């Protein structure tokens, strides 16, 4: 490996400086006035840096924002300005932003105001809604570094075209103003890289924001954006959302447009990256999905399937399967408590709860890892070796796994196809177990073993999330509660499922995790995005 | 390569003998009484071997058959019996059947009659409908040789489970009685293999039935089945359908269930094999699709997308793009005449016709070939080398192409993703060319350069069909006319696009092709199965 000049450190420093220039000086809080709190989520509104109107705007749901702009209560410009200001503060607290382009966002907002003034109508159903977006979505005039130093100034002139999702959201009236930080190649469960460093968790800054959509959730959790977009190929929406009590929806591939996003593993199709909304509320999530799909993404992206947004009515009594512990890594106490809260809530409301076995989860999660590294890490290594940036420990397998032959890949794909058929049949067969003779509506289970984990203590176990990428099921993540050092005491355990289980048990520290997020996954069948949102609403109302 | 005992010839002979035992002796026509005609499509009904009732039954549409059984005009048993008898005769004329299990079919039919008698109702909307199916669909108790000698008795005890499609069609009331012949691994454009040999074209037995669904179309063209199922990964439904004037529909992947079919290239996913109906009429095609999708295949097959069968109303004036000649191989005169018949019909009826350029077709068809051989032919070779069966010339590339590395595959997949996006944009951009400002509804173009081709003269050019496998568009094939030696005279040409073009021009012989089928492709967007059928109806009515 030849380290070329300028070294990766120099390039990274240059790129970081370029980003930092784009913050507005008048909004920057002097270091001495920044809080020394672990939980900074409430500090922003109490600190006095935001005006009452800025707070009112930034605490609103997407639908309310658009309605107030449409009714000329607020201008698109002042809405974007408020979110730029709040995002700037959130960034100082969590290091969540990768690309900062407030001026472009404000210009776009101004144009929307002019359009509205000139025509008397709004451009589309998202007219004036600021949208934050994960670093990998190409935006005209911005970089997509995806946490790789070599992409800092590559392409040199930045991207010339918006990703399809960005283009569509703009046509609907969405306003872009920031991109958010990710780990290297978006293939780590914590958000850190050699360009921007680590994004911290605003609920407890001793904990990681998770990854790979970590910048996005840190911003969202502090309402520096009314709605955001992340991606998920093994848990990258769900892990960070569950670490910050932000709602997310990992759709089935083919529901939302994916073309024009920079991939860490370009050309990989054995498992597909999907994107989905990250939102402070389910109302905002539904608003986003309905309008995006209403804009017929299948006419924009060749891989989107023509499935309109459908109205769903839930049965009055649902059948819910619960998986508490996957028998590979036992969740830590706050998560087990969260599962129990939801279970009790469901039972109390008269829904049927059955147990779910993690059959084949381990094999599914091993296969997905093999897919990730099936090119022997060649694509990632090519980019990192160009500048000499070293791998973080989580990325080590991309440097050590030998490249697979296509015949081996075919065999693995055939095995996966068989496993996903078996899973579907197990789901269908639950009708033999339920009282009403209908199969389960959803599985509820942890997204990770953690209520947030400190940096470098994730131990790379994504077995709670990654099986559902291979299965391609619709998965929502919803908040339940927060970790409490006085309740979530360390379990006494002598027997362990294995080494990772023991390490994670060993690491668990109720004091360290205090205040961390307790969120769970709600898993529906493929293409059940509407139903998953409705079920999350139901669960939210049961436990609130 | 070690040739083991018994040799492939011995195994093949044993397997062939096993099949031949399953014909009913009383139906076998003495060789001396078999016709010496090239066109045998009409001989069956005029020969006197079928009773008037057998003819009435076998000339009916699927909907009529089911209705008559439902109304107790016919029993399911006598319907199946009539098709078994006719299929037996068609086989003697064209060598179209691979697995013959009349007794199982008749037993199933009898059980349906008993069910109807006992309950007073039918089992499902296909109650009693015989369905022929391509060799690769697993059927309990039958082999799936896919034209490979080593699969003749492997698994030894035959398959123990129906493919998902077979299971679903059985639940709907469909009756299975034959499987139909395919080329080796289903990867040749003509239907021949070392087990059963060649399937001939009943419209002109000097010509091939095409491949790989060649057995199926020969049977269908002679009404030895009311409806059949084939598969397509590069043209395998469309080439044979177009060679026999049978209707077919190549759906988008994810519309019909595919699980449990034996693949020639198992685990390949860079391009997916799909299955679709082969039918004597569009009414039968619609009947099949509507009921299959009405049975919710997404609950049976993890790769089927939840898109119900939708009602479609066509605009009164359509925008149709026509591609006459792809500039790689010029179609032979009967096909060019067919294109013109359709074009004139459309114009006369007031539809708008624009030209379509074959932009990227050649690169798309090259990429698909690379995908087929990306495992270096390892899977196919493993099976053929076990028994020592040699490759046919069309299969040579599976023996000579080096295996690809996964990193190369990723690069090729990424390139394909970019090309399919470009194609979609070109389709959308046609709105700038049409009078009503709407994009085109369909492309109409040849399926091959031929109105049927003699054996070994296909020259392996699938550039008219295979781009639409990569694009994953919905494609129908519909009959236009038949080749006529007095009209379709050989063109005088001095300049050629290339070697294959010149060879195909050189081979064309109006006398030899006389009576061959002239069918065309009608291409819709992804998941436009309903609309493609409606458009085929419209075109059929225009030109009839």
């Amino acid at each position: 490996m030849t380290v070329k000049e300028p070294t990766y450190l120099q390039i990274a420093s240059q790129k970081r400086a370029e980003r930092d220039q784009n913050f507005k000086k008048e909004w920057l809080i002097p270091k001495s006035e920044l809080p020394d709190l672990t939980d900074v989520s409430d500090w922003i509104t109490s600190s006095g840096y935001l005006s009452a109107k800025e707070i009112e705007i930034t605490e609103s749901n997407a639908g309310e924002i658009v309605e107030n702009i449409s009714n000329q209560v607020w201008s698109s410009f002042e809405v974007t300005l408020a979110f730029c200001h709040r995002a700037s503060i959130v960034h100082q607290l969590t290091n969540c932003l990768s690309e900062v382009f407030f001026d472009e966002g404000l210009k776009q907002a101004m144009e929307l105001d002019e359009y509205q003034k000139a025509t008397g109508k709004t451009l589309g159903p998202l007219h004036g809604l600021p949208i934050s977006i994960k670093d990998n979505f190409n935006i005209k005039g911005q970089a997509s570094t995806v946490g790789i130093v070599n992409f800092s100034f590559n392409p040199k002139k930045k991207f010339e075209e918006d990703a399809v999702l960005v283009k569509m959201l703009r046509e609907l009236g969405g306003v872009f103003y920031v991109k958010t930080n990710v780990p290297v190649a978006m293939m780590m469960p914590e958000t850190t890289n050699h360009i921007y460093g680590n994004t911290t968790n605003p609920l407890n800054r001793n904990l990681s924001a998770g990854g790979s959509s970590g910048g996005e959730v840190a911003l969202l959790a502090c309402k520096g954006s009314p709605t955001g977009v992340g991606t998920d190929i093994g848990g990258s929406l769900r892990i960070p959302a569950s670490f910050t009590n932000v709602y997310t929806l990992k759709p089935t591939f083919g529901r939302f447009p994916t073309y024009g996003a920079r991939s860490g593993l370009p050309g990989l199709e054995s498992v597909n990256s999907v994107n989905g909304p990250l939102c402070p509320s389910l109302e905002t999530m539904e608003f986003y999905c309905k309008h995006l799909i209403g804009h017929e993404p299948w006419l924009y992206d060749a891989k989107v399937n023509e499935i309109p947004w459908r109205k769903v009515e839930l049965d009055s009594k649902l059948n819910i399967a619960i998986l508490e512990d996957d028998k590979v890594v036992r969740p830590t106490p706050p998560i087990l408590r969260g599962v129990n809260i939801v279970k009790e809530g469901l039972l109390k409301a008269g829904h049927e709860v059955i147990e779910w076995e993690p059959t084949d989860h381990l094999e599914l999660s091993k296969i997905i890892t093999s897919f990730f590294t099936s090119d022997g890490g060649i694509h990632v290594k090519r980019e990192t070796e160009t500048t000499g940036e070293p791998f973080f420990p989580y990325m080590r397998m991309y440097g050590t796994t030998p490249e697979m032959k296509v015949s081996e890949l075919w065999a693995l794909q055939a095995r996966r196809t068989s496993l996903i058929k078996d899973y579907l049949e197990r789901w269908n067969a639950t009708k033999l177990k339920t009282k009403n003779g209908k199969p389960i509506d959803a599985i509820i289970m942890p997204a990770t073993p953690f209520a947030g984990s400190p940096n470098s203590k994730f131990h790379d176990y994504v077995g709670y999330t990654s099986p559902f990428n291979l299965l391609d099921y619709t998965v929502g993540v919803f908040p339940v509660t927060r970790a409490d050092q006085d309740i979530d005491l360390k379990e006494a355990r002598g027997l362990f499922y294995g080494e990772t289980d023991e390490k994670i048990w060993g690491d668990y520290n109720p004091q360290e995790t205090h205040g961390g997020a307790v969120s769970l996954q709600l898993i529906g069948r493929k293409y059940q995005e509407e139903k998953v949102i409705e079920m999350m609403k139901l669960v939210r109302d049961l436990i609130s």
Side-chain angles (χ1 to χ4, degrees), chain A residues 15 40 185 191 201-202 236 248 264 273 284 339 367 455 473 493 503:
Chain A
K15 176 66 184 156
V40 294
T191 292
N201 188 327
S236 281
T248 193
S273 173
T284 290
V339 172
I367 290 177
N455 269 348
Y473 285 9
R493 291 182 68 192
K503 277 187 190 160

Side-chain angles (χ1 to χ4, degrees), chain A residues 385-441:
Chain A
E385 286 176 2
T386 303
T387 64
E389 70 167 301
F391 273 159
F392 287 84
Y394 285 118
M395 293 295 288
R396 214 174 281 143
M397 65 178 179
Y398 293 92
T400 56
T401 311
E403 182 167 14
M404 216 181 264
K405 287 184 199 165
V406 168
S407 57
E408 296 168 297
L409 186 72
W410 285 14
L412 212 56
Q413 289 179 163
R415 175 66 185 152
R416 181 257 282 116
T417 297
S418 167
L419 288 171
I420 67 176
K421 173 66 162 51
D422 294 346
Y423 212 96
L424 176 63
E425 286 182 354
R426 283 197 297 279
W427 186 295
N428 289 338
T430 55
K431 69 182 178 189
L432 304 172
K433 293 185 187 173
T434 59
K435 294 196 195 92
N436 66 6
K438 291 184 182 181
I440 53 168
D441 296 286

Side-chain angles (χ1 to χ4, degrees), chain A residues 322-327 329-344 444-451 464 480-481 483 487-493 497 501 505 508 517-520:
Chain A
I322 289 194
L323 187 153
E324 184 188 66
D325 175 342
D326 75 356
K327 313 286 165 63
V329 172
R330 183 165 172 79
T332 56
I335 298 297
L336 294 173
R337 183 165 60 87
V339 172
N340 203 49
I341 290 171
V342 172
K343 187 176 172 180
E344 293 300 318
I444 291 180
M445 59 180 275
T448 75
F450 314 107
Y464 280 93
V480 179
T481 185
I487 307 175
D488 302 315
L489 308 178
K490 189 154 180 156
E491 290 183 293
R493 291 182 68 192
Y497 301 130
D501 183 40
W505 175 83
Y508 177 64
V518 176
S519 286
L520 298 174

Side-chain angles (χ1 to χ4, degrees), chain A residues 10 63 109 182 277 451:
Chain A
Q10 288 170 312
V182 297

Side-chain angles (χ1 to χ4, degrees), chain A residues 259-316:
Chain A
Y259 191 88
R262 189 167 222 165
S263 171
L265 307 173
L268 167 66
E269 295 183 356
S270 306
V271 57
N272 286 294
S273 173
V274 293
N275 62 69
L278 289 151
C279 306
S281 77
L282 291 170
E283 285 64 30
T284 290
M285 181 184 284
E286 193 175 12
F287 183 82
Y288 170 92
C289 293
K290 187 177 73 179
H291 291 302
L292 176 58
I293 291 183
H295 202 35
E296 303 186 307
W298 47 88
L299 298 180
Y300 291 76
D301 184 329
K303 293 192 178 180
V304 176
N305 299 324
E306 187 185 338
I307 303 179
W309 193 253
R310 300 155 301 187
K311 199 165 164 45
V312 168
E313 291 223 12
L314 298 181
D315 287 351
S316 59

